[in-house]
Amino acid sequence: MAYTLEYFQAAAGFLRTKADFVPEIGVVLGSCLGPFARAIENPVEVDYADIPHFLLSTVDSHAGKLIFGTVAGKRVVCMSGRFHSYEGYSFEELVIPVRVLKLLGIRALVLTNAAGGVNTGYRPGDVMVLRDHIKLNGDSPLRGPNAEDFGPRFFDVSRMYTPELRKLALDCARGSPLRVHEGTYMFFPGPQFETPAEIRAARFLGADAVGMSTVTEALTAAHCQLPLLALSVITNMAAGVLDRPLSGQEVDETAERVAGPFSEYMKTILAAI
């Protein structure tokens, strides 16, 4: 597939007919974090299936809708549900959402995810502001012919997670009932949870949390020169940290428990951006 500018413009052009404003901030909601979407005022919802050249979410906890509206006085476009390589998508396909959001006019991107805690000082229900990431699995989403309309062939990622937005998010945590940390996220392709040995290796490499998403979107945002903030909700401790098996049910239950305070924290951040 030739991902030309026209390919992405088809989706962006269709979406411009659905909203009567240019969004300022793009938000991507991760597993079980969809309740934040209820905070969007005057929502206009578009099913992913109706968007030309878009992808379809196959994960049950992802709504599969793009939502335009207002949160904390900011005009936003929110992806309620994201896409993963474990669903069968190539890494190259995973550039599509962020590039479409870029063409819609967003000036900053906020990514969220559910993650496993590697740092033994973390506990389920905590939030981690991503300072950096480790990705040793899979291709780059920027593999293949470079899309010069979005960014250069070779690009710097040393400030990918925008320092100013990270500081803002940490400042906004004051007064929140959530425990908020700053740390490093390590990408694993999934869909199986990681092994205890992989988690020991991740900790040795400097990871504080692990997950199966976010990194492809972050790299695409860096290529597009989009200011970026990424937040992990620690929904479980990673394999081997506790002497018990991992389950998707635990992820769901923790995310549901923190949905309210996390939504309030997100609103505080968006108001401050």
Side-chain angles (χ1 to χ4, degrees):
M1 174 63 67
Y3 293 124
T4 62
L5 179 62
E6 290 72 25
Y7 181 94
F8 302 103
Q9 284 177 330
F14 170 81
L15 290 168
R16 288 190 194 102
T17 69
K18 303 299 180 181
D20 59 1
F21 63 84
V22 175
E24 304 168 83
I25 302 170
V27 179
V28 178
L29 297 178
S31 297
C32 309
L33 302 178
F36 170 78
R38 293 198 288 267
I40 300 175
E41 300 169 5
N42 303 312
V44 175
E45 298 185 355
V46 184
D47 288 341
Y48 291 164
D50 295 332
I51 305 172
H53 299 164
F54 217 63
L55 306 177
L56 296 178
S57 182
T58 66
V59 181
D60 290 341
S61 59
H62 292 242
K65 293 182 178 182
L66 200 69
I67 307 171
F68 292 90
T70 304
V71 178
K74 294 296 195 306
R75 297 184 299 275
V76 303
V77 56
C78 175
M79 285 182 60
S80 186
R82 59 145 53 86
F83 313 107
H84 312 79
S85 62
Y86 66 70
E87 295 175 81
Y89 293 118
S90 69
F91 281 85
E92 294 92 329
E93 286 177 292
L94 297 176
V95 303
I96 292 173
V98 172
R99 285 183 177 172
V100 171
L101 296 183
K102 170 74 172 181
L103 290 176
L104 287 175
I106 65 168
R107 296 185 286 105
L109 180 64
V110 179
L111 304 174
T112 71
N113 64 59
V118 175
N119 188 319
T120 56
Y122 292 4
R123 61 183 185 225
D126 288 0
V127 173
M128 185 183 80
V129 177
L130 272 68
R131 178 193 302 120
D132 206 343
H133 78 236
I134 302 168
K135 177 184 177 297
L136 304 178
N137 288 291
D139 291 325
S140 168
L142 287 311
R143 178 178 176 269
N146 186 51
E148 294 289 343
D149 296 290
F150 292 98
R153 169 80 290 181
F154 304 105
F155 56 101
D156 179 59
V157 292
S158 58
R159 289 171 55 91
M160 176 165 40
Y161 299 98
T162 307
E164 293 79 7
L165 291 180
R166 287 166 24 212
K167 181 179 185 303
L168 180 149
L170 293 170
D171 289 344
C172 287
R174 296 178 188 140
S176 171
L178 297 168
R179 296 203 325 157
V180 179
H181 314 273
E182 188 177 31
T184 297
Y185 177 93
M186 186 165 183
F187 172 81
F188 283 85
Q192 74 283 350
F193 291 114
E194 301 75 28
T195 69
E198 288 170 335
I199 294 305
R200 290 196 298 273
R203 186 180 297 114
F204 178 79
L205 290 172
D208 297 289
V210 294
M212 306 171 191
S213 68
T214 301
V215 166
T216 53
E217 296 146 335
L219 289 168
T220 307
H223 185 247
C224 292
Q225 300 95 51
L226 271 175
L228 174 67
L229 174 67
L231 305 170
S232 293
V233 174
I234 306 301
T235 50
N236 59 283
M237 298 309 293
V241 177
L242 303 176
D243 186 20
R244 64 177 188 233
L246 305 184
S247 73
Q249 181 180 352
E250 181 184 8
V251 172
D252 294 352
E253 290 173 351
T254 303
E256 183 177 352
R257 174 169 59 83
V258 303
F262 182 73
S263 293
E264 291 302 313
Y265 179 47
M266 283 281 289
K267 286 192 283 186
T268 303
I269 291 171
L270 293 176
I273 291 179

